[in-house]
Amino acid sequence: MNTATHVMSSGWAESAATRGTAAGFVLPLVGLAVVGMLIGAVVWGRRRQARAPRPPRPEEQPHLPDGRPSGPVQEVREPDELPHGDRRLTPYQVRHSGTRRSPDSEPPTWSGGSSGAFGSGGPGGKKG
């Protein structure tokens, strides 16, 4: 190994050692800065939360109106009848056919002799 190569390699080692020392000094400072920012964020969040309005008490909560159900309502509805006549009606002549509450408000139930499904092999329909 000649002298020029030895000097060059030792210069590189000294430079790397100097950079390593600088990095060893800078990294803890960066870490302390990050920790300081995190602590500041927690303090800022707690102050902001302290300024927020308090949640309403139970007596301040909204209440449902009297006489109305609070959940979904099941009712039997039947379609409105289309007008009957001799002439065929075109789509623009037919108003939107809605539904109305059925006079029989009991929902249909399964009859005893019914299978309940098409093609299931049961007798299908009422006996008697």
Side-chain angles (χ1 to χ4, degrees):
M1 183 180 220
N2 70 22
T3 323
T5 309
H6 181 61
V7 170
M8 192 168 159
S9 65
S10 67
W12 178 83
E14 287 177 16
S15 173
T18 306
R19 272 188 252 137
T21 306
F25 182 70
V26 171
L27 285 178
L29 288 178
V30 170
L32 285 174
V34 168
V35 168
M37 289 188 335
L38 288 173
I39 291 172
V42 168
V43 169
W44 178 73
R46 292 190 66 152
R47 284 183 183 170
R48 187 170 181 197
Q49 188 177 14
R51 284 191 304 242
R54 64 169 175 70
R57 289 187 224 118
E59 61 269 4
E60 296 172 344
Q61 297 285 340
H63 297 286
L64 292 171
D66 294 332
R68 291 184 52 191
S70 61
V73 177
Q74 282 189 323
E75 60 185 6
V76 178
R77 300 194 62 85
E78 56 186 32
D80 285 335
E81 293 293 324
L82 290 174
H84 296 284
D86 296 336
R87 292 184 39 216
R88 180 175 159 183
L89 297 174
T90 58
Y92 69 88
Q93 293 172 317
V94 178
R95 63 178 171 78
H96 174 69
S97 72
T99 60
R100 64 181 188 278
R101 186 174 288 183
S102 174
D104 179 24
S105 61
E106 291 295 317
T109 57
W110 293 102
S111 60
S114 174
S115 66
F118 178 75
S120 64
K126 293 184 180 179
K127 294 181 183 178

